[in-house]
Amino acid sequence: DLSRVVGSRGIAQTDVDGAQAGAVYVAGESWSAQADDKIPAGSPIVVVAREGLHLKVTKASKTDSV
């Protein structure tokens, strides 16, 4: 069930922002993703929505575990 990826944590594999899709690694798979704010490669992320095969992500806070 792909909807279960929402709320999952992962890692930004490339820079991710709203202007251009980046890549994130979540639940054992690479996904195309966008974010409202720039997230540098290597940063922890949280999935906030799934739109088709693309994810909307935010940068995870320091208290979130990946």
Side-chain angles (χ1 to χ4, degrees), residues 24-38:
V24 296
Y25 189 75
V26 176
E29 296 184 52
S30 289
W31 292 81
S32 175
Q34 288 190 304
D36 290 334
D37 298 315
K38 185 173 181 178

Side-chain angles (χ1 to χ4, degrees), residues 3-49:
S3 65
R4 292 187 351 183
V5 75
V6 175
S8 296
R9 285 148 173 71
I11 298 290
Q13 295 178 299
T14 64
D15 290 348
V16 180
D17 61 34
Q20 181 174 328
V24 296
Y25 189 75
V26 176
E29 296 184 52
S30 289
W31 292 81
S32 175
Q34 288 190 304
D36 290 334
D37 298 315
K38 185 173 181 178
I39 301 173
S43 298
I45 57 92
V46 176
V47 179
V48 294

Side-chain angles (χ1 to χ4, degrees), residues 40-66:
S43 298
I45 57 92
V46 176
V47 179
V48 294
R50 183 181 65 84
E51 300 166 358
L53 296 177
H54 301 279
L55 302 179
K56 178 88 168 187
V57 300
T58 60
K59 189 171 182 181
S61 69
K62 294 187 185 298
T63 58
D64 291 331
S65 61
V66 175

